């Protein structure tokens, strides 16, 4: 059974506004490597639509920066699962809609995806965390205080205790943190 890993960029104050952050080749290379290690990606509809609206064009743009294009091409090829109650048509290559009971569907996805699943959708991650389905967390903290926007895991019913597995510092000052759910 593969692990379900939640990964996202945040500012120092926990903001998850995708327009805030230091986006460079090193950051794209980090996420590309993490995605390559995973067997599939998992998105909620909102995040999927943001990705679908941007990355297919970058994958085909020969003038796009190397790291962005590589990320886009590998994302295009990767299996992408989407949780959505309002959309059923997903024409982007290798996209599959998650059907049925969420706990059962994600448990089955983890069971059949030996290399694990990387989820990059904040609202969906909150629901998955409430269900106890997230195994690891890859939080990339940018040295920016945004002061606005949504934050990670807003509205959880109780605190979660995590174990820090590793840290990685980028040249830009960005810190990649790798956590695992602490054994109960």
């Amino acid at each position: 059974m593969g692990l379900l890993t939640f990964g996202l960029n945040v500012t120092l104050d926990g903001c998850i506004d995708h327009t805030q952050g230091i986006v460079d080749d090193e950051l794209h290379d980090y996420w590309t490597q993490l995605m390559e290690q995973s067997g599939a990606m998992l998105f909620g509809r909102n995040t999927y639509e943001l990705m679908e609206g941007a990355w297919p064009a970058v994958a085909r743009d020969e003038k796009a920066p190397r790291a962005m294009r590589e990320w886009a091409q590998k994302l295009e090829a990767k299996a992408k699962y989407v949780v959505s109650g309002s959309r059923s048509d997903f024409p982007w290559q290798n996209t599959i809609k998650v059907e049925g009971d969420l706990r059962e569907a994600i448990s089955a996805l983890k069971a059949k995806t030996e290399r694990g699943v990387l989820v990059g959708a904040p609202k969906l991650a909150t629901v998955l965390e409430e269900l106890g389905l997230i195994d690891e967390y890859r939080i990339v903290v940018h040295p920016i205080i945004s002061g606005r926007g949504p934050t990670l895991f807003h509205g959880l019913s109780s605190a979660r205790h995590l174990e820090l597995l590793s840290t990685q510092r980028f040249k830009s000052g960005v810190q990649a943190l790798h956590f695992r759910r602490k054994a109960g």
Side-chain angles (χ1 to χ4, degrees), residues 115-134:
R115 290 178 38 214
V117 179
L118 181 62
V119 58
K123 288 179 185 176
L124 177 59
T126 301
V127 174
L128 297 172
E129 181 61 35
E130 281 290 349
L131 294 172
L133 293 170
I134 298 177

Side-chain angles (χ1 to χ4, degrees), residues 44-103:
R45 183 190 53 81
N46 290 338
T47 302
Y48 173 82
E49 288 177 352
L50 282 172
M51 304 295 259
E52 175 188 46
W55 294 111
V58 175
R60 291 181 289 283
D61 182 357
E62 294 181 14
K63 295 178 183 176
R66 177 210 51 86
M68 285 180 67
R69 188 162 187 232
E70 186 175 314
W71 156 262
Q73 289 173 335
K74 292 186 183 214
L75 179 60
E76 183 115 328
K78 186 66 69 176
K80 295 171 283 294
Y81 291 85
V82 183
V83 174
S84 176
S86 62
R87 184 173 169 183
S88 57
D89 181 39
F90 298 95
W92 189 13
Q93 177 181 337
N94 299 318
T95 302
I96 302 116
K97 182 177 180 178
V98 174
E99 302 279 359
D101 176 78
L102 187 61
R103 180 189 305 272

